[in-house]
């Protein structure tokens, strides 16, 4: 196996630069016409986690979406733009407006689809597990996935494989968190969903990434790159290297490799364009709870009373909006007069509350011993 991955510099989000870099990425892979034909329905799936401005680096930048959309249109195909944001539905239109996806639709004439209201198709893995996938994903002739490279406090990194978790509409995502409370089990769910929704092409927005406690409460980090491949697992291997994770550290990548969904090793990846060793990469701050994931399960059980990391609220930032209450899959957060309260005995540490708080009011609180270790 020799899997091509195209890595291209993109200095900023000005449209000519993004357009050129996207074109170069696709050219390295043989051109977009290899994947897209006239009149085909092409689902373009960015990461639209929440209704935030692109400058926050939480969502795929609209210029990347626009450049891909226009190149699809140039081939006579029909682009459809869609994703399911995180959490219960508080208004997809606000997400489209704030992330500037509406502007892309206005500029290009591409159709926006709401996964929340478009229905689902059941799809079953070879192991017999059924997932309910948004219809526009299943019905598309071609899927082009546009992830944003970010750290993630549950899965450590979110990139190409994790982006397809957004194929699951709204509340069902929380259900899957509940059914798979351990990070490794959740990673298995993510890979299952990826295996049922595999994109034909993935292009990663890593011009401005996110580091620290992502995917929404971290900090923007400039890397100045776009990278692309037909194989999302290979892209995640490249992404993990760029971010500074150890080999095999990302559960979703390891599980996907074991299932034969990607290259077994980095040697099977052929980089076209920029060699990683020649790029002045920034030092990424990795999630603050990362050390806990390195502790073996049996030991973790023993030391949990002393070594823990859990969500807590920064009073000054909390607006008592109750987004966290509505989105906790185990109902471990209760409404309060001035702010919600946690019932840690029910908490599965899925970090959905941390991910979905619109005001960066939830932080990862560490026990005294955890602070000394990590
Ligand atoms: S912690 Fe965040 S999500 Fe929860 S009520 Fe406060 S501001 Fe809203
Ligand atoms: S309190 Fe937060 S971390 Fe705990 S289960 Fe609920 S959403 Fe997940």
């Amino acid at each position: 196996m020799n899997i091509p991955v195209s890595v291209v510099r993109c200095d900023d989000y000005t449209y000519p630069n993004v357009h050129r870099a996207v074109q170069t990425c696709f050219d390295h892979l043989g051109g977009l016409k290899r994947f897209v034909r006239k009149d085909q329905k092409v689902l373009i799936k960015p990461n639209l986690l929440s209704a935030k401005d692109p400058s926050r680096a939480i969502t795929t930048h609209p210029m990347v979406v626009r450049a891909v959309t226009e190149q699809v249109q140039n081939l006579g195909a029909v682009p459809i733009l869609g994703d399911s944001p995180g959490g219960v539905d508080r208004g997809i239109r606000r997400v489209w407006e704030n992330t500037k996806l509406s502007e892309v639709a206005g500029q290009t004439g591409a159709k926006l689809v709401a996964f929340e209201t478009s229905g689902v198709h059941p799809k079953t893995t070879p192991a017999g597990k059924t997932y309910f996938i948004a219809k526009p994903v299943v019905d598309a002739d071609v899927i082009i996935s546009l992830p944003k490279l970010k750290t993630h406090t549950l899965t450590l990194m979110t990139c190409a494989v994790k982006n397809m978790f957004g194929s699951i509409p709204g509340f069902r995502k929380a259900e899957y968190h509940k059914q798979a409370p351990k990070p490794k089990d959740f990673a298995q769910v993510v890979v299952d969903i990826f295996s049922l929704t595999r994109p034909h092409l993935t292009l990663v927005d890593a011009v401005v990434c996110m580091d620290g406690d992502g995917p929404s409460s971290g900090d923007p980090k400039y890397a100045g790159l776009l990278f692309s491949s037909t194989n999302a697992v290979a892209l995640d291997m490249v992404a993990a290297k760029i971010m500074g994770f150890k080999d095999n550290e990302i559960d979703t990548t390891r599980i996907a490799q074991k299932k034969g969904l990607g290259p077994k090793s980095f040697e099977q990846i052929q980089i076209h364009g920029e060699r990683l060793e020649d790029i002045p990469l920034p030092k990424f701050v990795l999630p603050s709870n990362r050390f806990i994931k390195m502790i073996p399960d049996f030991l973790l059980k023993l030391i949990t009373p002393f070594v823990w990391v859990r969500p807590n609220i920064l009073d000054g930032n909390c607006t008592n909006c109750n987004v966290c209450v509505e989105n906790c899959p185990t109902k471990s957060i209760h409404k309060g007069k001035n702010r919600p309260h946690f019932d840690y005995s029910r908490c599965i540490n899925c970090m959905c509350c941390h991910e979905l708080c619109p005001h960066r009011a939830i932080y990862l609180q560490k026990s005294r011993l955890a602070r000394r270790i990590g």
Side-chain angles (χ1 to χ4, degrees), residues 196-218:
L196 297 171
T197 60
R198 281 172 83 176
H200 299 79
L201 198 55
T202 303
L203 182 133
V204 181
D205 171 7
V207 180
V208 181
C209 313
M210 176 174 282
D211 75 352
D213 286 340
S216 57
S217 296

Side-chain angles (χ1 to χ4, degrees), residues 219-269:
D219 298 304
K221 174 73 85 176
Y222 178 80
L225 292 174
L226 294 179
F227 48 107
S228 184
S229 178
T230 55
N231 191 295
V233 182
L235 281 175
D236 278 3
M237 290 164 72
V238 171
K241 233 184 217 331
I242 288 173
M243 283 197 144
F245 288 106
K246 295 196 174 91
D247 288 348
N248 293 324
E249 194 174 348
I250 307 297
D251 288 337
T252 48
T253 308
R254 207 181 46 253
I255 294 168
Q257 285 176 299
K258 264 198 190 144
K259 282 179 178 280
L261 299 170
K264 285 195 173 58
S265 69
F266 215 85
E267 285 65 51
Q268 294 181 333
I269 295 175

